[in-house]
Amino acid sequence: MVVMFRQRWLKSLHRRLVLGCIGLGLILAWSVIGITIGTHQMQAKLYDVVQSRDAVITNIYEGIKLRDDQEAGLRGYLLTGQKAFLRPYTQAAVGLPHLRSESVKLTSGMDRRVSSALKGMFLAGKAWDRWAEVVLAHPPANARTPAAIAVLLRGKHLFDQFRSASA
């Protein structure tokens, strides 16, 4: 009787251990699956953030390049009076609005510091644009007069502010 009790007890203990190990294995499997899914989702979100930031940085560099082209073209025109120098100015003016709107879209969900810095760069660029439009409407007859030099220095100052804001 004691032997039978002991055998039943051992079978019961064995069954409980097997069921416990199976249960523990299932819990571990579900944990690994959950961690794997969570890690994958986190990596996907991180990838999206990195892609957006890279696109914004690319747009900023492209915008700075276009602005530099504008500034060089306008300066060449003002110094020589030849309209051929304005080609980079007008070509850049076509591409800048698209870069600006795309950058605003890309930064909409980012840290406010990013969108604030971008806004500062846009405002500095617009200030230079307003100056350039006035100068193009009324170009100085002689770029070497003190009045013309003052106008050109004002443009240089505004463009330097754009460069600082874009840094």
Side-chain angles (χ1 to χ4, degrees):
M1 179 148 192
V2 171
V3 171
M4 280 178 59
F5 176 74
R6 182 181 252 180
Q7 285 176 345
R8 266 194 257 153
W9 184 79
L10 284 175
K11 282 184 181 179
S12 172
L13 178 63
H14 183 269
R15 197 176 300 133
R16 286 185 209 156
L17 285 173
V18 168
L19 289 175
C21 286
I22 290 172
L24 184 60
L26 288 173
I27 290 171
L28 286 173
W30 280 110
S31 297
V32 168
I33 290 170
I35 289 170
T36 302
I37 290 171
T39 302
H40 178 71
Q41 289 173 343
M42 192 168 59
Q43 284 176 335
K45 287 179 184 177
L46 183 60
Y47 178 80
D48 289 343
V49 167
V50 169
Q51 288 296 100
S52 294
R53 297 242 172 166
D54 285 350
V56 169
I57 290 169
T58 300
N59 283 355
I60 289 170
Y61 282 125
E62 183 64 24
I64 292 169
K65 181 192 167 303
L66 290 175
R67 286 283 181 192
D68 283 342
D69 290 349
Q70 277 191 311
E71 194 264 344
L74 182 58
R75 186 171 9 101
Y77 168 70
L78 293 174
L79 291 173
T80 65
Q82 296 179 13
K83 292 203 182 235
F85 281 95
L86 287 176
R87 191 172 307 121
Y89 177 87
T90 54
Q91 288 174 342
V94 171
L96 282 170
H98 172 71
L99 285 175
R100 205 175 4 249
S101 65
E102 188 178 327
S103 296
V104 168
K105 284 180 203 171
L106 288 169
T107 59
S108 65
M110 292 184 184
D111 188 331
R112 288 184 183 184
R113 291 176 293 178
V114 174
S115 57
S116 176
L118 197 62
K119 187 177 182 180
M121 188 178 86
F122 292 155
L123 289 174
K126 284 197 178 275
W128 185 83
D129 284 340
R130 286 189 296 272
W131 171 84
E133 289 169 7
V134 169
V135 169
L136 279 173
H138 307 287
N142 181 354
R144 289 177 172 64
T145 65
I149 291 172
V151 168
L152 294 176
L153 286 175
R154 174 72 179 144
K156 181 188 178 322
H157 173 73
L158 289 170
F159 203 80
D160 287 345
Q161 285 182 328
F162 167 75
R163 282 192 177 114
S164 293
S166 61

